[in-house]
Amino acid sequence: MTIPMTDLDALPLLTRLSHTQRAAIAGVSRIETYEPGTRLFEEGGLADQCWVVLSGCVMIDTVVPPRGRITLQSIGPGELLGWSWLVPPYRWHFGATVVSPTRAAVVDTGALRVLADEDPALGYQLSLILIDALLNRLQATRIRLLDLYRNPS
Protein backbone atom coordinates (compact mmCIF):
# COMPACT_ATOMS: atom_id res chain seq x y z
CA MET A 1 0.00 0.00 0.00
CA THR A 2 1.37 3.45 -0.87
CA ILE A 3 2.00 5.77 2.02
CA PRO A 4 -0.51 8.57 2.71
CA MET A 5 1.10 11.99 3.02
CA THR A 6 -0.71 12.48 6.33
CA ASP A 7 1.43 9.68 7.80
CA LEU A 8 4.67 11.41 6.78
CA ASP A 9 3.48 14.92 7.59
CA ALA A 10 2.66 13.81 11.15
CA LEU A 11 6.11 12.36 11.89
CA PRO A 12 8.29 14.57 14.12
CA LEU A 13 11.27 12.71 12.62
CA LEU A 14 10.61 14.40 9.27
CA THR A 15 9.73 17.95 10.38
CA ARG A 16 13.03 19.24 8.94
CA LEU A 17 11.80 18.31 5.47
CA SER A 18 9.56 20.44 3.30
CA HIS A 19 6.21 19.08 2.17
CA THR A 20 7.73 18.60 -1.31
CA GLN A 21 10.64 16.59 0.13
CA ARG A 22 8.26 14.44 2.20
CA ALA A 23 6.17 13.87 -0.95
CA ALA A 24 9.29 12.68 -2.78
CA ILE A 25 10.00 10.22 0.04
CA ALA A 26 6.37 9.07 0.00
CA GLY A 27 6.85 8.27 -3.68
CA VAL A 28 9.55 5.71 -2.83
CA SER A 29 7.78 4.33 0.25
CA ARG A 30 4.95 2.03 1.15
CA ILE A 31 3.04 1.06 4.29
CA GLU A 32 3.43 -2.47 5.60
CA THR A 33 2.12 -4.27 8.65
CA TYR A 34 3.96 -7.04 10.47
CA GLU A 35 2.99 -9.68 12.98
CA PRO A 36 5.09 -10.49 16.06
CA GLY A 37 7.98 -12.79 15.19
CA THR A 38 8.50 -11.36 11.70
CA ARG A 39 12.21 -11.10 10.96
CA LEU A 40 12.84 -7.84 9.07
CA PHE A 41 16.53 -8.33 8.35
CA GLU A 42 19.60 -10.36 9.29
CA GLU A 43 23.05 -9.19 10.22
CA GLY A 44 25.19 -9.20 7.06
CA GLY A 45 22.20 -9.09 4.69
CA LEU A 46 21.69 -6.50 1.97
CA ALA A 47 20.46 -3.19 3.43
CA ASP A 48 18.08 -2.03 0.71
CA GLN A 49 15.32 -0.44 2.77
CA CYS A 50 14.66 1.33 6.03
CA TRP A 51 11.58 1.70 8.18
CA VAL A 52 9.88 4.41 10.17
CA VAL A 53 7.84 2.64 12.82
CA LEU A 54 4.34 4.13 12.94
CA SER A 55 2.98 1.77 15.62
CA GLY A 56 4.26 -1.31 17.39
CA CYS A 57 7.74 -2.38 18.42
CA VAL A 58 10.81 -3.88 16.75
CA MET A 59 13.84 -5.26 18.58
CA ILE A 60 17.37 -4.80 17.24
CA ASP A 61 19.62 -7.77 17.99
CA THR A 62 22.99 -9.32 17.34
CA VAL A 63 24.47 -12.80 17.58
CA VAL A 64 26.93 -13.30 20.42
CA PRO A 65 28.65 -16.68 20.32
CA PRO A 66 27.98 -18.90 22.24
CA ARG A 67 24.95 -17.09 23.72
CA GLY A 68 23.09 -16.77 20.44
CA ARG A 69 20.88 -13.84 19.50
CA ILE A 70 20.65 -11.08 22.12
CA THR A 71 18.45 -7.99 22.10
CA LEU A 72 20.25 -4.66 22.04
CA GLN A 73 17.46 -2.12 21.75
CA SER A 74 13.79 -1.59 20.99
CA ILE A 75 12.46 0.72 18.29
CA GLY A 76 8.98 2.20 18.72
CA PRO A 77 6.55 4.61 17.09
CA GLY A 78 8.14 7.57 15.32
CA GLU A 79 11.60 6.01 15.31
CA LEU A 80 13.84 5.14 12.38
CA LEU A 81 14.97 1.56 11.89
CA GLY A 82 18.00 0.98 9.70
CA TRP A 83 20.76 3.25 8.47
CA SER A 84 23.19 0.69 7.02
CA TRP A 85 21.74 1.54 3.59
CA LEU A 86 23.59 4.87 3.61
CA VAL A 87 27.20 3.65 3.50
CA PRO A 88 28.61 1.02 1.11
CA PRO A 89 28.70 -1.96 1.08
CA TYR A 90 25.05 -1.55 2.26
CA ARG A 91 25.02 -4.52 4.66
CA TRP A 92 23.12 -4.79 7.95
CA HIS A 93 25.28 -4.63 11.07
CA PHE A 94 22.50 -6.04 13.26
CA GLY A 95 19.25 -7.96 12.90
CA ALA A 96 15.67 -6.93 13.69
CA THR A 97 12.52 -8.76 14.75
CA VAL A 98 8.98 -7.45 15.22
CA VAL A 99 7.75 -8.07 18.79
CA SER A 100 4.24 -6.57 18.68
CA PRO A 101 1.83 -5.89 15.81
CA THR A 102 3.66 -3.20 13.85
CA ARG A 103 2.77 -0.74 11.11
CA ALA A 104 5.68 0.95 9.37
CA ALA A 105 6.60 3.17 6.45
CA VAL A 106 9.09 1.15 4.39
CA VAL A 107 11.45 3.21 2.24
CA ASP A 108 13.23 1.92 -0.88
CA THR A 109 16.69 3.21 0.01
CA GLY A 110 18.19 2.75 -3.46
CA ALA A 111 15.57 5.17 -4.77
CA LEU A 112 16.09 7.40 -1.73
CA ARG A 113 19.83 7.67 -2.47
CA VAL A 114 18.96 8.74 -6.03
CA LEU A 115 16.59 11.42 -4.68
CA ALA A 116 19.28 12.65 -2.28
CA ASP A 117 21.86 12.81 -5.10
CA GLU A 118 19.45 14.78 -7.29
CA ASP A 119 18.46 17.16 -4.48
CA PRO A 120 21.47 17.99 -2.26
CA ALA A 121 19.22 19.93 0.15
CA LEU A 122 17.19 16.76 0.70
CA GLY A 123 20.39 14.73 1.04
CA TYR A 124 21.67 17.13 3.69
CA GLN A 125 18.42 17.00 5.65
CA LEU A 126 18.37 13.20 5.46
CA SER A 127 21.93 13.15 6.79
CA LEU A 128 20.87 15.29 9.76
CA ILE A 129 17.91 12.98 10.45
CA LEU A 130 20.16 9.92 10.34
CA ILE A 131 22.83 11.52 12.52
CA ASP A 132 20.17 12.48 15.07
CA ALA A 133 18.85 8.89 15.12
CA LEU A 134 22.41 7.57 15.43
CA LEU A 135 23.19 9.91 18.33
CA ASN A 136 19.99 8.90 20.14
CA ARG A 137 20.89 5.22 19.72
CA LEU A 138 24.43 5.86 20.89
CA GLN A 139 23.18 7.71 23.97
CA ALA A 140 20.74 4.90 24.78
CA THR A 141 23.61 2.40 24.47
CA ARG A 142 25.75 4.53 26.77
CA ILE A 143 23.01 4.57 29.40
CA ARG A 144 22.61 0.79 29.16
CA LEU A 145 26.37 0.32 29.56
CA LEU A 146 26.45 2.63 32.58
CA ASP A 147 23.62 0.62 34.11
CA LEU A 148 25.32 -2.68 33.28
CA TYR A 149 28.68 -1.69 34.74
CA ARG A 150 27.57 0.49 37.64
CA ASN A 151 29.24 -0.03 40.97
CA PRO A 152 26.88 -2.15 43.10
CA SER A 153 28.07 -0.48 46.30
Side-chain angles (χ1 to χ4, degrees):
M1 168 198 314
T2 52
I3 185 164
M5 278 304 298
T6 53
D7 282 333
L8 288 186
D9 287 340
L11 287 171
L13 178 72
L14 302 180
T15 57
R16 295 175 188 250
L17 302 178
S18 70
H19 181 78
T20 302
Q21 291 169 327
R22 286 192 300 274
I25 292 172
V28 298
S29 303
R30 65 190 182 281
I31 295 288
E32 289 190 0
T33 56
Y34 304 98
E35 293 301 317
T38 302
R39 191 81 174 146
L40 295 179
F41 55 87
E42 292 286 347
E43 198 168 334
L46 178 64
D48 59 355
Q49 54 191 11
C50 68
W51 296 257
V52 178
V53 176
L54 302 173
S55 64
C57 184
V58 178
M59 296 300 232
I60 296 174
D61 58 51
T62 192
V63 175
V64 177
R67 293 181 59 198
R69 189 177 289 155
I70 62 163
T71 297
L72 300 173
Q73 197 162 22
S74 63
I75 305 300
E79 292 185 281
L80 176 67
L81 173 63
W83 53 66
S84 297
W85 61 270
L86 187 60
V87 180
Y90 312 121
R91 297 283 174 194
W92 295 118
H93 295 275
F94 301 99
T97 301
V98 174
V99 294
S100 67
T102 297
R103 182 173 178 263
V106 184
V107 182
D108 174 341
T109 55
L112 187 59
R113 282 192 301 270
V114 170
L115 289 174
D117 286 344
E118 291 173 351
D119 179 358
L122 172 62
Y124 175 72
Q125 292 302 324
L126 288 173
S127 295
L128 292 178
I129 290 166
L130 290 168
I131 290 169
D132 186 54
L134 184 66
L135 289 174
N136 287 335
R137 262 338 122 67
L138 188 58
Q139 189 66 356
T141 301
R142 178 180 169 268
I143 290 167
R144 285 189 69 192
L145 286 172
L146 288 172
D147 186 51
L148 182 64
Y149 291 108
R150 75 176 182 269
N151 185 343
S153 60

